[in-house]
Amino acid sequence: VYQDSGGMNMLTLLVYALLKNLLPLSRLCMPVLVVQGEADAMFMDHALELKKVIPQCQLRILPHVCHIPPVENPVGACMLVVDFLRAHCKHDGANLYARMNNMTEEELAQASDEESLQ
């Protein structure tokens, strides 16, 4: 999230524009990742609608997770983001994550295996 000197960040501005219908979701021209918990029945319809409306939307569903994937399965959610970044960014997202958390690639892979990611 980019934050400017005025305290507003680009994510806040984007959400505001989307909520005020200033930027229709169908006009988003960048890859978008939506992470949804398998057991979150309340918002599954919203996630499916986002997948349908946003042209480059990737919907990833975490098994055995409800409403807050990054809290309920932080490694699983992180790996989905890392995979997304790896596919859409020039740098290696997994190595970036590992360096930020002082982890080796082996430790990152082991953490992924322990969470039984799908």
Side-chain angles (χ1 to χ4, degrees):
V1 176
Y2 168 78
Q3 187 159 348
D4 68 12
S5 59
M8 292 291 287
N9 62 54
M10 294 305 292
L11 181 60
T12 301
L13 294 174
L14 176 61
V15 169
Y16 176 80
L18 294 172
L19 291 176
K20 293 295 184 182
N21 218 9
L22 301 174
L23 175 64
L25 292 171
S26 62
R27 292 190 57 207
L28 291 177
C29 59
M30 74 286 284
V32 173
L33 174 66
V34 174
V35 178
Q36 173 70 35
E38 172 187 51
D40 187 1
M42 181 182 292
F43 291 104
M44 184 62 78
D45 289 344
H46 296 144
L48 294 171
E49 184 65 21
L50 288 172
K51 171 69 176 143
K52 185 168 54 171
V53 172
I54 300 172
Q56 295 187 57
C57 182
Q58 294 181 24
L59 173 60
R60 298 294 180 254
I61 299 174
L62 276 176
H64 315 294
V65 171
C66 193
H67 187 62
I68 311 171
V71 172
E72 296 174 50
N73 184 348
V75 172
C78 182
M79 290 307 296
L80 292 176
V81 172
V82 166
D83 290 343
F84 178 80
L85 291 174
R86 188 178 281 148
H88 298 287
C89 297
K90 293 180 182 179
H91 62 78
D92 182 347
N95 285 330
L96 178 62
Y97 175 81
R99 284 195 312 272
M100 288 171 53
N101 291 284
N102 297 319
M103 296 173 72
T104 65
E105 287 188 51
E106 292 78 23
E107 290 171 326
L108 187 63
Q110 182 180 357
S112 300
D113 292 340
E114 289 171 1
E115 290 289 331
S116 65
L117 300 176
Q118 296 182 355

